[in-house]
């Protein structure tokens, strides 16, 4: 399925730590079976003036700088499209930005089932010249209703949530199926050793060994937790 995840960014170095740690890091390093490869395209490699060539002042005036469409286009065409026979069919281009659909667990599921390779585009400054977005972007995804200084953190969040859903990324696949947002519910609470801590004991049922009773307790807790913390999710249950 998904073979490559591309990122167009001014700061590929930001992805260093992301690749170094945890289940997603080791998946993307190819240590967990058949996982997509992360390929980083540095925008300044596609201008003659390096970093100085990436942005320019906005037509019409106003604050801040805008990333140039011609530079972004060059990075996309030369850095990525050139490696595909039919880039229009083989790639989906996703821009990070506040205008996008709010990224959530179903977006992660959709991306994890994607048959095309994915290109994430990370903006900086005031964003990217609209003409590039118009021509090349299939989908916009937002991390939430706030403004980040760049798309990289959003992009890492999208990749993290997507890759951990791929077969083999997480050792125990049940842990993915039972997580929050599956069936529009939050997860039940977890406890581990010691049995007595923070002035509280671990609920007895969890130490009973009675799997039926444990399941029932967890189902009830899922409902209670969702009602308490995210009642809006319950409204989505048909
Ligand atoms: C400072 S922001 C630009 C904000 C833009 N001027 C606006 O008002 O919508 C720079 C870049 O950060 C990224 N970004 C900002 N907020 C984001 C969000 N909520 N979700 C995803 N990416 C975001 C986008 O790539 C954006 O191009």
């Amino acid at each position: 399925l998904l073979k490559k995840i591309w990122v167009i960014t001014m700061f590929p170095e930001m992805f260093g730590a992301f690749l170094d740690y945890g289940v997603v890091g080791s998946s993307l390093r190819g240590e967990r079976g058949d996982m997509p490869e992360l390929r980083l395209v540095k925008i300044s490699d596609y201008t003659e003036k390096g970093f100085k060539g990436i942005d320019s002042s906005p037509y019409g005036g106003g604050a801040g700088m805008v990333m140039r469409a011609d530079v972004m286009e060059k990075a996309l065409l030369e850095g990525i499209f050139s490696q595909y026979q039919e880039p229009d069919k083989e790639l989906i281009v996703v821009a990070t930005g506040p205008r996008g659909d709010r990224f959530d667990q179903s977006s992660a599921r959709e991306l994890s089932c994607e048959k095309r390779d994915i290109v994430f585009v990370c903006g900086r400054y005031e964003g990217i010249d609209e003409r590039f977005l118009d021509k090349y972007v299939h989908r916009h995804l937002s991390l939430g209703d706030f403004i980040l200084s760049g798309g990289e953190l959003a992009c890492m969040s999208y990749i993290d949530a997507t890759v951990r859903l791929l077969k083999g990324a997480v050792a125990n696949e049940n842990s993915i199926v039972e997580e929050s947002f599956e069936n529009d519910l939050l997860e039940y609470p977890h406890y581990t050793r010691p049995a007595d801590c923070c002035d509280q004991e671990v609920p007895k049922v969890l130490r009973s060994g009675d799997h039926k009773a444990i399941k029932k307790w967890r189902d009830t807790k899922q409902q209670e937790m969702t009602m308490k913390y995210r009642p809006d999710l319950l409204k989505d249950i048909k």
Side-chain angles (χ1 to χ4, degrees):
L1 284 169
L2 182 56
K3 293 230 165 41
K4 286 196 184 84
I5 299 176
W6 296 89
V7 181
I8 302 184
T9 169
M10 281 180 69
F11 302 122
E13 298 79 7
M14 283 181 73
F15 290 77
F18 181 57
L19 280 164
D20 280 346
Y21 294 99
V23 292
V24 170
S26 55
S27 297
L28 293 171
R29 292 199 305 276
E31 293 166 11
R32 286 177 176 257
D34 204 8
M35 288 287 159
E37 193 188 328
L38 182 66
R39 303 282 291 266
L40 303 165
V41 174
K42 186 171 182 160
I43 302 168
S44 55
D45 288 345
Y46 296 88
T47 77
E48 280 174 10
K49 293 196 229 150
F51 269 94
K52 290 201 177 120
I54 296 174
D55 59 320
S56 193
S57 50
Y59 278 114
M65 301 295 272
V66 177
M67 295 174 82
R68 291 172 56 139
D70 57 336
V71 174
M72 296 302 286
E73 182 176 54
K74 200 162 180 233
L76 181 67
L77 299 187
E78 290 181 16
I80 304 174
F81 277 25
S82 62
Q83 310 213 13
Y84 291 81
Q85 282 183 344
E86 293 185 287
D88 293 341
K89 291 192 189 142
E90 295 172 86
L91 289 164
I92 174 169
V93 181
V94 179
T96 53
R99 77 173 70 170
D101 301 327
R102 180 82 63 91
F103 185 82
D104 62 12
Q105 192 64 8
S106 28
S107 333
R109 282 221 176 270
E110 271 173 43
L111 290 179
S112 73
C113 297
E114 187 54 66
K115 292 191 174 61
R116 296 164 287 184
D117 287 351
I118 305 174
V119 179
F120 287 108
V121 182
C122 301
R124 284 266 153 187
Y125 311 120
E126 287 307 317
I128 301 168
D129 187 308
E130 193 66 26
R131 292 168 293 177
F132 171 84
L133 301 174
D134 262 356
K135 180 159 182 194
Y136 294 109
V137 170
H138 300 110
R139 188 157 186 207
H140 295 265
L141 285 175
S142 167
L143 200 56
D145 288 349
F146 46 82
I147 306 297
L148 293 165
S149 52
E152 288 78 6
L153 287 176
C155 175
M156 284 185 238
S157 307
Y158 307 158
I159 297 174
D160 187 289
T162 301
V163 168
R164 67 188 296 287
L165 292 175
L166 297 175
K167 199 169 167 45
V170 174
N172 181 349
E173 279 172 20
N174 281 339
S175 71
I176 285 176
V177 180
E178 287 175 9
E179 269 171 337
S180 294
F181 305 120
E182 297 303 327
N183 307 319
D184 291 317
L185 292 170
L186 292 180
E187 200 183 32
Y188 50 78
H190 298 289
Y191 301 88
T192 187
R193 291 176 186 78
D196 200 340
C197 183
C198 303
D199 304 325
Q200 296 164 68
E201 263 188 38
V202 170
K204 285 209 169 46
V205 61
L206 297 181
R207 290 180 282 155
S208 67
D210 180 343
H211 295 295
K212 230 170 137 185
I214 292 171
K215 164 122 187 27
K216 194 164 167 231
W217 181 89
R218 286 179 167 166
D219 287 349
T220 308
K221 282 289 164 193
Q222 270 199 290
Q223 298 281 347
E224 285 174 15
M225 298 279 281
T226 311
M227 188 70 88
K228 180 171 176 194
Y229 294 102
R230 291 294 305 274
D232 57 302
L233 292 177
L234 293 170
K235 288 190 205 108
D236 293 339
I237 294 180
K238 276 120 207 155

